[in-house]
Amino acid sequence: MTLASASGKAILFGEHAVVYGQPAIAVPLSHIRATVQIEHLDKGTTGVLIDAPDISQSYWLREADRDDPLASAVRLTLDELGVKAPFDAHLAIHSELPIASGLGSSAAVSVAVTRALSAHLMKPLEVETISKIAYAIECIHHGTPSGIDNTVVAYEKPVYFIREHQPEVLQISAPLNLVIGDTGVSMRTTIPVSLLRERWEKDPGKYGGWFEEIGEIVIEARTMLKTGSIDSLGDLMNQNQMLLEDMGLSSLELQRLISAARESGALGAKLSGAGMGGIMLALVEPDTAPIVETALRKAGAKQVFITEVDG
Ligand code: PMV
C-alpha cells in the first residue's frame, strides 16, 4: 500500500491580477490535505480503478472521458513515469478540502495522485514536473489558469508568483495565523475569471490600473513577510479586498464574513481565490483566533479552519 498527500492553498494577495501578469503570493495550508492511497487490485481484475467516495465517484481509468480530471492526472503521470505495460491498481482519493471554494482542492488532488503513483512505482519526479502535470489538470478545470495553485501546492512552500516565471520561494520570518471562513457558496473559478475578462475588455484602462495597484500591494506584502512586519500586513489585505470589491468579485456572504472577522479583532481580512463565493481569510494574533472563529460561525460560515503558516 502507498499513501501520499498534498496540502490545500490560500492566496494571500494578488488573485485575478495574477492572470494579467501581476505578482501574487500564496501559501500552502499544510493542515488541510488531499490524500491518495494506492493498493493492488484483487486477483483477476486488471486496470486502474479510481475511487473518490467524497464526490460519490468510482470508475475504471479505461472508461473515463479524455478530459476527466482525475483520469487525466493518472494518465499524464503514468506517461511521465514511462509506464507502458498494463498497470493494475486501486486508487482511493480523499480530500478535506471543500470543492470549488478557493482552497486549491483540484490542485491538491492532482498533486496527491502524482505523488502517490510516483512513490508506488518508486520513480521520483521533480517538483517542477509534478507542478506541470497539475497545471495541465487546472487547464481542464478552468481554461486559462495563471499556474499559482499547482505551483504552491507542488512546492508546498509560500511562493511569490508571476505567471510564466520561475516561482520564488518566500522566506516568511514570523508565523502567520490565519482563520479561514467558508461561505459554503461553491463557485467554479471560470465564472469570476471570465466575468472579469469581459469587464477588462470593455474598460482596459480602469481594470488595468486596478491590477497594477494590486501588484504594488503584493510587492509591499512580500517585503513585510520577509521582515516579519505582520501588523501592517492586515492593512494590505484590507486594501487588496477593496480593489477586489471594486472589480465586483466579492459577494454578500463574503462581505458578511469579512466584516465579522474585522469587527472581532482580525488584523485584516479579504476574499481568497476566485471570489463571488468560496472562502475568505483573516489574519489574526494567535489568541484572537478562537474569537474570530466564533464570529465567523455566527455570521454564517459553513466551515472555519484555523491554521498557522510558517516559512
Ligand atoms: O479558484 P482558485 O482559488 O483556485 O483561485 C483562482 C485564482 C485566480 O487568480 C482567480 C485565477 C488564476 O488562475 O490565478
Side-chain angles (χ1 to χ4, degrees):
M1 195 264 279
T2 312
L3 197 64
S5 69
S7 74
K9 67 93 220 233
I11 300 180
L12 289 188
F13 295 97
E15 52 275 272
H16 287 289
V18 69
V19 175
Y20 298 83
Q22 296 295 331
I25 294 172
V27 293
L29 301 173
S30 303
H31 306 102
I32 323 172
R33 307 187 73 84
T35 310
V36 174
Q37 185 175 319
I38 304 186
E39 279 179 295
H40 291 294
L41 282 169
D42 295 337
K43 278 207 174 64
T45 41
T46 53
V48 176
L49 180 62
I50 300 173
D51 252 333
D54 303 338
I55 49 169
S56 312
Q57 288 193 14
S58 178
Y59 49 92
W60 291 96
L61 179 65
R62 59 177 173 270
E63 287 165 4
D65 287 347
R66 264 182 64 80
D67 61 353
D68 176 88
L70 293 176
S72 302
V74 175
R75 287 186 189 119
L76 287 174
T77 307
L78 292 178
D79 278 357
E80 190 65 49
L81 294 172
V83 178
K84 298 258 180 334
F87 173 67
D88 303 329
H90 175 207
L91 266 75
I93 301 168
H94 288 283
S95 177
E96 299 164 351
L97 297 149
I99 293 173
S101 66
L103 285 171
S105 133
S106 59
V109 167
S110 304
V111 169
V113 164
T114 303
R115 283 182 182 157
L117 287 168
S118 144
H120 187 74
L121 293 160
M122 289 188 282
K123 294 181 174 205
L125 287 173
E126 299 284 339
V127 180
E128 284 85 17
T129 310
I130 298 175
S131 180
K132 188 188 75 186
I133 294 172
Y135 178 75
I137 312 304
E138 291 298 287
C139 290
I140 298 177
H141 280 291
H142 66 100
T144 55
S146 65
I148 191 166
D149 284 16
N150 50 285
T151 302
V152 64
V153 173
Y155 281 78
E156 212 161 328
K157 299 248 164 61
V159 292
Y160 176 83
F161 178 88
I162 302 176
R163 191 172 190 162
E164 284 157 24
H165 285 63
Q166 189 62 22
E168 175 189 320
V169 171
L170 254 185
Q171 292 306 325
I172 294 185
S173 38
L176 298 179
N177 293 281
L178 301 175
V179 184
I180 297 171
D182 183 3
T183 59
V185 178
S186 65
M187 180 56 62
R188 286 188 20 243
T189 307
T190 37
I191 298 171
V193 168
S194 1
L195 212 92
L196 182 61
R197 182 159 295 273
E198 278 167 30
R199 291 176 183 158
W200 169 73
E201 278 166 357
K202 279 199 193 115
D203 197 344
K206 184 161 87 180
Y207 283 81
W210 280 334
F211 297 152
E212 276 172 25
E213 279 186 61
I214 292 179
E216 282 159 22
I217 291 174
V218 176
I219 292 169
E220 221 178 305
R222 174 194 186 211
T223 310
M224 288 182 184
L225 285 165
K226 283 185 175 174
T227 55
S229 337
I230 301 301
D231 289 1
S232 336
L233 263 187
D235 283 342
L236 286 183
M237 286 172 74
N238 293 339
Q239 285 175 37
N240 194 162
Q241 171 62 19
M242 236 148 59
L243 289 158
L244 291 162
E245 283 170 25
D246 289 341
M247 295 192 280
L249 296 163
S250 200
S251 72
L252 214 65
E253 292 85 354
L254 281 165
Q255 291 304 127
R256 208 175 287 140
L257 299 189
I258 289 167
S259 304
R262 288 178 185 155
E263 283 158 20
S264 58
L267 300 167
K270 64 183 275 292
L271 69 83
S272 175
M276 292 174 69
I279 56 145
M280 50 69 69
L281 56 86
L283 179 69
V284 298
E285 302 280 11
D287 31 334
T288 328
I291 304 165
V292 174
E293 178 189 9
T294 309
L296 288 179
R297 288 195 193 279
K298 272 200 191 137
K302 297 293 176 289
Q303 277 191 88
V304 180
F305 303 94
I306 297 184
T307 187
E308 189 184 286
V309 176
D310 38 42

